[in-house]
Amino acid sequence: MTSTGIRLHAPAPGWSISADVVVVGSGVAGLTAALRCEAAGLTTVVVTKARLDDGSTRWAQGGIAAALGEGDTPEQHLDDTLVAGAGLCDEEAVRILVTEGPDAVRRLISTGAHFDTDDGGDIHLTREGGHHRRRIAHAGGDATGAEVSRALVEAVHARGVRTIENALVLDLLTDAEGRTAGVTLHVMGEGQHDGVGAVHAPAVVLATGGMGQVFSATTNPSVSTGDGVALALRAGAEVSDLEFVQFHPTVLFLGAEAEGQQPLVSEAVRGEGAHLVDGDGVRFMVGQHELAELAPRDIVAKGILRRMIEQGAEHMYLDARHFGADMWEHRFPTILAACRANGIDPVVEPIPIAPAAHYASGGVRTDSHGRTTVPGLYACGEVACTGVHGANRLASNSLLEGLVYAERIAADIAAGHGAEDLRVPEPVPEPERPAHPLLAAEARFTIQRIMTEGAGVLRSAESLARAADQLQQLHSEAREALDENGKTAEPGVDTWEATNLLCVARVLVAAALLREETRGCHWREDRADRDDANWRRHIVVRLNPDRTLAVGTTDTADFPPTRQHRPQEQ
């Protein structure tokens, strides 16, 4: 794969360090990869956008899905995952996940993570949507992500892994042969180095998380601006299945005008017996699916939205008053506190909820070892598309995917890098003229509005075409200003983030417009049926050197090898 030559407008690096591996991101995937690389004797540097524990992982409430319980098997976990993925999971990738998952969880425990246990000392397992068995391990009731993050951060510190915090990664560096040579990054005044610098390394692991901030309302933290996907596209990597954005069904409704990160009400609440009801107290999911409230998330989100449309309501309700105060306080203390902080007491009243952007099932396309189409560039966690999630992620598979595929990446790097390969590569010099225009910081809110209105839970050819036109106008205006008079927005975190958001928004809308069917969490009101004959395949996108998108499809539901496939331009 040849690099596009496109890089963000930024000052030249004023400092640099070298390593064998640079990991970008500090969630479960990034820190697991870093710890395993360090254990293999590889000099490893972790770069993270905020503090080590400020990513999406610590917000995960539900838990980690794995076949750990009596009577459960990886095969049953595989079956549930394939059903949720609506025909687009890579079965081999899922098989890797469910067979290697239990031991990966045990290794996480040996790293220091403490999961809730029953009276006999065994891991307490709960159930979530799409699972036919109790297989969700959790910690602190509903604070699993926080505990996983704590354990991994402590391990990173204890083992002396070098970290650079408060650093926004900018672009991939490549050598004369097009191989990975490290990254450029901007440290935001509080890290080890200030300003723009570089980490030179022959292996880069992207673990930057999601892109939920492309929508107005999301469960993602403010740092989730699609930086990893945008970097990979500029580097020439392929991105797949970005149209499959999972909208979590039960997000605390804070008002129609609420923007930014919204409090999540974990699926585990429904797993313990909470009911979805409308304003009249009617359980509207009963009869829509055999699992009712525990149907896969896309089905529940659609059921909620349909009821909202039918009744002209802004939200529905989650009723768990029958839990009682003791269960709320001990099993779901985080959610209880979030609700009460917003004036709602779920012990005595139903919780107002509505779907909000939650998880990107697609991302940078990888193989079963986390390798992308750019030599030396790896991806894992939410930024990656391993094929595990297909058209809709099964609840609590995300932390497991981060664990399993991060370990596989570390093993691949360790196995594939002899003394000769571990030499620090010489990056190709950056172009003198900025190759990519930057958007003004306020464009972020324009992009979010466009995406929420045109590419949200319910989409159509008309809404997507309108969104595509509006996004193209933003892109064209910025490009024309740069091409005609060399002007672009001032380089900085806000303008880099806005530019990255526009990049991923354009890809998402292009893929959603091309996929003329309803499948998983991609819901086209004008194409209401699933169309396996024409669309049981993946959409693959790459960025051309002229900044246009090459959009194509795979021939089948299987992913081709990462080193060979190229999408056909349209």
Side-chain angles (χ1 to χ4, degrees):
M1 173 61 70
T2 303
S3 173
T4 65
I6 301 172
R7 291 178 179 172
L8 289 174
H9 181 196
W15 55 269
S16 67
I17 60 174
S18 297
D20 296 331
V21 185
V22 54
V23 177
V24 187
S26 61
V28 62
L31 295 186
T32 299
L35 288 167
R36 299 295 179 265
C37 284
E38 189 77 17
L42 299 170
T43 303
T44 305
V45 174
V46 175
V47 175
T48 189
K49 195 172 179 180
R51 306 295 294 178
L52 278 182
D53 63 351
D54 275 347
S56 293
T57 290
R58 75 182 180 98
W59 297 100
Q61 296 173 343
I64 302 179
L68 297 166
E70 183 178 354
D72 197 6
T73 65
E75 199 68 26
Q76 294 177 65
H77 189 183
L78 181 142
D79 289 342
D80 285 345
T81 301
L82 295 180
V83 169
L88 276 187
C89 294
D90 182 307
E91 186 167 340
E92 180 56 29
V94 178
R95 194 171 296 280
I96 289 169
L97 178 83
V98 299
T99 55
E100 297 183 10
D103 283 344
V105 173
R106 295 183 185 103
R107 282 189 289 274
L108 176 63
I109 293 170
S110 69
T111 301
H114 302 292
F115 288 90
D116 296 338
T117 56
D118 58 24
D119 293 339
D122 295 323
I123 295 175
H124 183 269
L125 301 173
T126 190
R127 229 181 121 193
E128 292 185 359
H131 293 273
H132 283 79
R133 282 191 175 273
R134 285 182 170 263
R135 65 167 66 98
I136 316 300
H138 52 86
D142 58 356
T144 307
E147 171 57 19
V148 169
S149 181
R150 179 205 62 77
L152 291 173
V153 168
E154 287 188 4
V156 163
H157 287 318
R159 296 177 193 180
V161 179
R162 187 170 187 175
T163 62
I164 303 176
E165 298 180 300
N166 301 296
L168 171 63
V169 67
L170 299 176
D171 281 302
L172 188 75
L173 296 172
T174 54
D175 64 16
E177 285 75 46
R179 287 190 55 85
T180 292
V183 293
T184 55
L185 62 154
H186 173 76
V187 180
M188 296 174 267
E190 298 178 18
Q192 184 175 357
H193 303 274
D194 195 11
V196 173
V199 181
H200 296 155
V204 171
V205 181
L206 291 180
T208 52
M211 55 181 193
Q213 289 291 325
V214 80
F215 294 96
S216 296
T218 177
T219 62
N220 290 190
S222 61
V223 295
S224 298
T225 50
D227 307 317
V229 171
L231 174 150
L233 283 163
R234 290 192 295 272
E238 294 176 358
V239 169
S240 187
D241 298 354
L242 220 60
E243 69 273 28
F244 296 118
V245 175
Q246 188 178 78
F247 288 78
H248 198 287
T250 54
V251 176
L252 185 62
F253 182 75
L254 300 180
E257 303 303 317
E259 294 182 338
Q261 186 178 12
Q262 314 286 303
L264 176 66
V265 182
S266 170
E267 195 151 326
V269 177
R270 280 176 282 137
E272 296 292 352
H275 302 143
L276 286 166
V277 298
D278 60 20
D280 297 321
V282 176
R283 288 182 63 191
F284 55 86
M285 285 303 300
V286 175
Q288 290 198 37
H289 190 276
E290 63 175 63
L291 296 176
E293 284 92 352
L294 286 176
R297 288 180 177 176
D298 62 310
I299 294 172
V300 178
K302 292 170 189 175
I304 291 171
L305 194 61
R306 284 194 188 100
R307 197 66 158 195
M308 287 166 57
I309 292 171
E310 288 171 5
Q311 298 189 345
E314 292 183 323
H315 60 82
M316 290 287 111
Y317 293 93
L318 187 64
D319 191 352
R321 289 175 290 182
H322 53 286
F323 283 7
D326 187 67
M327 182 173 178
W328 268 112
E329 290 168 3
H330 291 92
R331 179 67 179 87
F332 300 110
T334 307
I335 299 170
L336 178 64
C339 287
R340 286 177 169 170
N342 286 281
I344 294 150
D345 188 348
V347 176
V348 297
E349 61 184 319
I351 305 168
I353 52 89
H358 182 56
Y359 190 90
S361 292
V364 184
R365 190 169 79 81
T366 74
D367 64 10
S368 61
H369 297 280
R371 296 176 292 217
T372 74
T373 51
V374 175
L377 179 64
Y378 296 79
C380 57
E382 191 174 355
V383 71
C385 182
T386 62
V388 160
H389 303 306
N392 186 41
R393 176 181 66 104
L394 181 66
S396 288
N397 269 355
S398 51
L399 292 179
L400 188 70
E401 183 196 30
L403 281 176
V404 169
Y405 281 88
E407 292 188 341
R408 294 179 71 83
I409 286 173
D412 190 74
I413 295 173
H417 286 74
E420 179 65 19
D421 292 319
L422 284 176
R423 70 190 187 282
V424 176
E426 185 66 33
V428 173
E430 294 194 31
E432 293 182 7
R433 188 169 181 270
H436 201 298
L438 300 180
L439 270 66
E442 56 268 23
R444 175 178 184 141
F445 305 104
T446 303
I447 294 165
Q448 291 172 334
R449 176 186 54 77
I450 291 170
M451 294 298 291
T452 299
E453 293 176 356
V457 181
L458 185 58
R459 304 164 176 175
S460 68
E462 181 181 357
S463 74
L464 289 166
R466 183 170 60 251
D469 288 344
Q470 292 170 330
L471 293 173
Q472 182 59 38
Q473 183 176 353
L474 287 174
H475 176 73
S476 298
E477 288 174 352
R479 179 174 179 174
E480 288 168 5
L482 180 63
D483 291 345
E484 292 177 4
N485 53 35
K487 289 185 177 180
T488 187
E490 187 69 23
V493 174
D494 291 344
T495 56
W496 288 321
E497 285 185 335
T499 303
N500 285 339
L501 283 171
L502 178 61
C503 180
V504 297
R506 290 176 64 217
V507 175
L508 192 162
V509 169
L513 196 52
L514 181 61
R515 184 174 290 282
E516 295 182 333
E517 65 160 354
T518 288
R519 182 186 297 271
C521 50
H522 172 65
W523 186 12
R524 286 278 297 261
E525 62 177 337
D526 58 326
R527 301 280 183 170
D529 298 323
R530 174 169 153 176
D531 181 1
D532 280 351
N534 294 304
W535 288 109
R536 192 164 179 258
R537 59 193 66 198
H538 303 276
I539 293 175
V540 181
V541 183
R542 60 179 170 81
L543 188 63
N544 292 321
D546 65 357
R547 309 184 193 101
T548 59
L549 300 177
V551 185
T553 64
T554 58
D555 295 328
T556 68
D558 297 326
F559 274 128
T562 54
R563 294 291 184 260
Q564 299 175 14
H565 174 69
R566 301 288 182 272
Q568 298 298 311
E569 295 187 18
Q570 294 189 349

